[in-house]
Amino acid sequence: MDSVLDELERLSKTGNLSKSAEDIQQTIDLLVKAHDTIATDPSSASLTLAKLQTPVRKSLEDINNDLKDKFKDKPLPSTEYDGLSSQPTLINRAIAMHFLREGQFSVASTFLTDATNLEQGCGLDSLKSETFRNEFANMYHILHELKDKRNLLPAIQWARENSAALEARGSNLEFELGKLQFIWLFVGGSHPNGRGPLLAGRQTALEYARWELSHFHPRYLKELQQLSGALAFCPNLQRSPYRRIFLNNDAWDNLANSFTREFCSLLGLSAESPLYIAATAGAIALPTLLKLQTIMKEKRTEWTTPHELPIETPLPPAYHFHSIFVCPVSKEQTTDQNPPMMMPCGHVIAHESLNRLSKNNRRASEPQPRIVCYHQTHYNQSGEYVSVLPLVTEAEEVIGITHLIVGAIHLNDPPGRITLNEDPPDVASSEVLWEEVKVLQGVGIKVSGMLGGAARGSFEKLDGSDFTFEAYYIPLRDMIRQYAFDGLDLDVEEDMSLDGIIRLIDRLKADFGDSFLITMAPVARALQGGPHLSGFDYEVLEMMRGSSIECYHTQFYNNWGNLQGFWDYTAILQRGWRPEKVIVGVLTHPSNGHGWIATEELKRILMVLKAMYPRFGGVMGWEYFNSSPGGAERPWEWAEIMMKTLSGQ
């Protein structure tokens, strides 16, 4: 610690630029005084400028002397490999765009005029557009109203005018603006439109919500419920469960940043100035490049890759914009000459590897579709055990099933009392099930457990405090280990918070690793942004933890979705869901629920979906024991028919 303090003291002494700042301020004061004198008496310009030369020169010398001690005189890296020297138009465009983005419109105008005069046909005419400047002027006006005057109305109006474009991007800006307006009115803000006084506080906020936020109800039901719930805690928000929402000091700045980001995105621009990003990244990389240049001189080597840096530069995560792709076939990094290519199956390899595969007449196979069966009824009405072994042993041409989900696991009171359906999982009647599970896993079929389902309570127990979560989760973790499940299917059919489901997913991944399959079983409406059974927002969950979730076994039955006509499935994909992650869930028998689709009709639907979407994820059947067309006598036939249909056999 002492060495750290000594180094900090040394740095504070050598890095103190207060004297330089004072000299710079003196120079600025001299220039401002001269400007005012000339503005008052233009005839004194010559005399004033003559008197200004000596003090300004002395001031600049003082500044230079101050900086000499702070910054050692080191040469900049050689410009021999300067990739921008031949691109003056790009540089000028970046500079002009920076001025426009910063609201320096007069400076930008002057710069564009000078740049155009120096280089005719330089491609900067688009930046001279009055429409383009007006867009940024409007942005700064809205930001000024939002940040300085706490007036959200201009931003709300802009969001309404661009609602369709924002929704297409998956943006929640319009709702967040309305939410903050509600909060601002709730805590006593007045309406800034000047139409007369309104009752402050709860009544004003409630009226605003009724008129302005009601159309957000289908997508943001939980958030609106939280806003309404705060009414009961109005006298003491500080100690209420909603204090984080209503007493957030950073809310205005965060929303201003979100607005800037969305505004620039609709203009096709990044949220940050590219010139600022490039200059900052260059400044971070400069010390490393200086050191590299010294080493290269000592070892008499040359920089042979002018289009990329010869060494890795440690930039912060915010400056990571482009990923590096290494071909899984050749193990080589792709380049502009050998770019990555996506095949119809969705796999990506390098262009040269694709050419080699074509020359060798090798056919790149498409990923195998998922055929998922839920197995909850382990004994039929006659008390006979329903075996899953025929899924393997009775398959005539192909093993149809790829994933079996065993259910349903329930967490009961007291903590540690877990049941599989109605009995503990270790009862004698389940021993044959666990033996068969091992056989299926041995031939490559993934077997997961299903947590939850129609019987509520399990997720409520996992959604409490950290202490309560641990009490119920640890026995569940031990059960998963005992029966060697390949994954866990989270069938959340009760209210659960977003934080709660994220905590559960993170803990499962931490305990079982990346290969552990976490799947979910939402109703189709949930992936369309409509009302559903789970409480949290699946779209937000996918954005936050999509990399940890294998797929969604989506229920297109029981009035939550309809696979016939393709409208519900298409509506899901239009909201940005990837087809490989949306497994269409259907009933396997008319008695299993409402919305059963006959086998031949289902085959036609699946063939159309597979043709329309080559990366179509697969089909899930609820449930195994009586699957048509074989029924209770031959339930395994359903999986084989589905596999043949999706494999084109």
Side-chain angles (χ1 to χ4, degrees):
M1 177 59 74
D2 292 338
S3 60
V4 174
L5 293 175
D6 293 340
E7 188 66 22
L8 181 61
E9 183 179 359
R10 186 191 66 80
L11 183 62
S12 64
K13 291 179 179 178
T14 58
N16 191 345
L17 299 176
S18 58
K19 183 64 169 60
S20 302
E22 292 176 2
D23 291 335
I24 292 172
Q25 187 59 50
Q26 290 177 5
T27 305
I28 295 174
D29 293 340
L30 288 171
L31 295 173
V32 171
K33 183 178 179 181
H35 174 273
D36 294 341
T37 301
I38 296 173
T40 305
D41 183 10
S43 62
S44 64
S46 299
L47 180 60
T48 302
L49 292 175
K51 292 181 178 180
L52 190 64
Q53 291 181 9
T54 301
V56 168
R57 184 185 302 112
K58 182 179 182 304
S59 181
L60 293 175
E61 289 175 353
D62 291 340
I63 295 171
N64 189 41
N65 292 331
D66 293 337
L67 297 177
K68 277 184 178 180
D69 296 333
K70 307 298 181 183
F71 302 99
K72 302 301 181 182
D73 185 18
K74 292 184 178 180
L76 293 175
S78 171
T79 59
E80 182 179 355
Y81 302 110
D82 185 2
L84 291 176
S85 59
S86 60
Q87 302 290 341
T89 299
L90 293 179
I91 298 174
N92 290 336
R93 183 179 180 85
I95 295 173
M97 181 64 73
H98 180 76
F99 288 140
L100 289 172
R101 296 171 69 107
E102 294 298 315
Q104 303 292 332
F105 302 120
S106 60
V107 178
S109 178
T110 302
F111 178 82
L112 286 169
T113 301
D114 293 344
T116 305
N117 292 336
L118 289 173
E119 185 182 359
Q120 297 296 327
C122 59
L124 298 177
D125 293 338
S126 61
L127 299 184
K128 295 182 179 181
S129 168
E130 196 68 27
T131 303
F132 198 73
R133 299 186 196 186
N134 288 340
E135 291 284 0
F136 281 107
N138 184 34
M139 183 185 80
Y140 276 99
H141 165 70
I142 294 174
L143 286 173
H144 171 71
E145 292 290 322
L146 192 157
K147 297 170 68 174
D148 298 336
K149 296 185 177 181
R150 292 292 193 262
N151 179 11
L152 288 160
L153 295 185
I156 292 174
Q157 181 60 33
W158 179 88
R160 286 175 180 169
E161 293 172 355
N162 296 275
S163 178
L166 290 172
E167 186 170 347
R169 280 178 41 79
S171 170
N172 64 344
L173 177 64
E174 186 178 3
F175 173 73
E176 290 298 328
L177 287 167
K179 175 182 173 181
L180 186 57
Q181 179 75 351
F182 175 92
I183 294 171
W184 184 70
L185 293 171
F186 187 92
V187 297
S190 59
H191 211 303
N193 60 11
R195 292 181 298 184
L198 290 173
L199 292 174
R202 288 175 291 178
Q203 184 173 347
T204 306
L206 193 57
E207 290 178 1
Y208 177 81
R210 287 171 177 168
W211 287 102
E212 304 295 344
L213 301 182
S214 58
H215 64 286
F216 291 114
H217 183 272
R219 185 174 179 184
Y220 299 100
L221 176 60
K222 188 171 183 63
E223 289 85 349
L224 291 173
Q225 288 174 338
Q226 291 175 342
L227 296 180
S228 301
L231 293 171
F233 294 88
C234 183
N236 191 10
L237 277 176
Q238 183 65 41
R239 301 182 63 182
S240 76
Y242 307 102
R243 61 184 180 277
R244 181 176 56 85
I245 300 175
F246 282 81
L247 302 177
N248 183 1
N249 295 327
D250 299 326
W252 293 87
D253 290 336
N254 292 339
L255 195 57
N257 293 334
S258 296
F259 170 79
T260 303
R261 181 170 58 252
E262 297 297 342
F263 192 101
C264 292
S265 296
L266 294 191
L267 292 178
L269 304 172
S270 61
E272 295 287 346
S273 165
L275 181 64
Y276 172 81
I277 293 174
T280 304
I284 295 173
L286 199 55
T288 304
L289 295 177
L290 285 169
K291 184 176 181 179
L292 173 67
Q293 188 180 51
T294 302
I295 295 173
M296 289 173 63
K297 284 183 178 180
E298 292 175 354
K299 296 186 176 296
R300 298 182 179 180
T301 58
E302 295 183 357
W303 184 356
T304 58
T305 55
H307 295 295
E308 64 179 75
L309 294 177
I311 55 175
E312 184 177 357
T313 303
L315 295 176
Y319 285 68
H320 294 175
F321 299 103
H322 304 288
S323 59
I324 296 174
F325 178 75
V326 177
C327 175
V329 176
S330 66
K331 309 301 181 184
E332 296 175 348
Q333 182 175 323
T334 55
T335 63
D336 291 342
Q337 292 72 35
N338 183 26
M341 306 291 290
M342 179 178 287
M343 297 183 292
C345 58
H347 291 99
V348 179
I349 61 176
H351 184 262
E352 292 180 358
S353 298
L354 183 62
N355 287 340
R356 286 196 294 269
L357 290 175
S358 300
K359 290 178 181 179
N360 294 334
N361 292 321
R362 294 176 59 189
R363 180 180 177 184
S365 61
E366 295 186 357
Q368 186 182 37
R370 291 174 180 265
I371 309 298
V372 184
C373 287
Y374 276 80
H375 181 43
Q376 180 168 345
T377 303
H378 306 153
Y379 286 83
N380 61 26
Q381 293 180 346
S382 302
E384 298 172 340
Y385 175 72
V386 180
S387 175
V388 293
L389 281 184
L391 286 165
V392 176
T393 59
E394 297 295 330
E396 297 180 359
E397 298 180 24
V398 295
I399 297 177
I401 188 172
T402 62
H403 296 75
L404 181 73
I405 299 180
V406 177
I409 301 170
H410 302 300
L411 308 183
N412 308 280
D413 289 320
R417 192 171 75 86
I418 298 178
T419 55
L420 183 67
N421 293 329
E422 298 177 354
D423 299 311
D426 58 356
V427 296
S429 58
S430 293
E431 290 179 359
V432 63
L433 169 65
W434 302 127
E435 291 300 322
E436 290 186 353
V437 162
K438 293 177 183 178
V439 175
L440 266 60
Q441 290 175 319
V443 297
I445 297 171
K446 299 295 183 181
V447 180
S448 298
M450 181 190 107
L451 178 64
R456 301 187 170 198
S458 296
F459 291 99
E460 178 185 357
K461 294 176 176 62
L462 293 171
D463 200 23
S465 66
D466 290 343
F467 177 83
T468 305
F469 173 82
E470 292 294 327
Y472 289 98
Y473 171 80
I474 291 176
L476 172 65
R477 178 202 63 189
D478 295 342
M479 178 200 171
I480 295 172
R481 287 175 175 168
Q482 179 180 355
Y483 297 104
F485 282 123
D486 297 304
L488 189 65
D489 184 71
L490 307 179
D491 189 358
V492 188
E493 298 189 13
E494 57 185 299
D495 282 346
M496 189 177 194
S497 69
L498 181 63
D499 291 339
I501 194 67
I502 288 176
R503 177 173 61 181
L504 176 57
I505 291 171
D506 289 347
R507 187 63 183 275
L508 287 168
K509 283 295 185 180
D511 287 340
F512 296 99
D514 292 335
S515 61
F516 188 77
L517 304 178
I518 297 178
T519 58
M520 306 197 75
V523 296
R525 293 286 182 268
L527 304 191
Q528 297 171 348
H532 56 91
L533 302 173
S534 307
F536 54 84
D537 190 324
Y538 278 88
E539 293 180 338
V540 176
L541 177 63
E542 173 67 10
M543 287 187 288
M544 297 180 68
R545 290 296 185 275
S547 60
S548 298
I549 301 172
E550 189 76 10
C551 63
Y552 298 84
H553 301 138
T554 311
Q555 302 178 38
F556 287 85
Y557 48 83
N558 288 343
N559 297 319
W560 289 108
N562 187 352
L563 205 55
Q564 293 173 306
F566 312 112
W567 299 113
D568 284 338
Y569 181 81
T570 303
I572 291 173
L573 299 191
Q574 287 176 344
R575 294 186 69 88
W577 292 93
R578 293 182 293 161
E580 64 268 27
K581 293 198 74 170
V582 181
I583 312 303
V584 296
V586 299
L587 299 173
T588 59
H589 192 273
S591 64
N592 293 348
H594 176 73
W596 175 73
I597 302 175
T599 302
E600 291 302 316
E601 174 66 5
L602 179 59
K603 288 170 59 178
R604 184 190 68 81
I605 292 172
L606 294 178
M607 286 189 290
V608 172
L609 290 177
K610 179 65 175 176
M612 293 173 61
Y613 306 100
R615 297 164 68 184
F616 177 69
V619 60
M620 171 273 283
W622 179 269
E623 58 170 321
Y624 166 71
F625 82 101
N626 61 351
S627 301
S628 296
E633 297 297 323
R634 302 177 63 85
W636 57 87
E637 292 181 350
W638 181 88
E640 186 174 358
I641 292 172
M642 295 300 104
M643 176 59 77
K644 289 180 178 179
T645 300
L646 291 177
S647 300
Q649 298 183 28

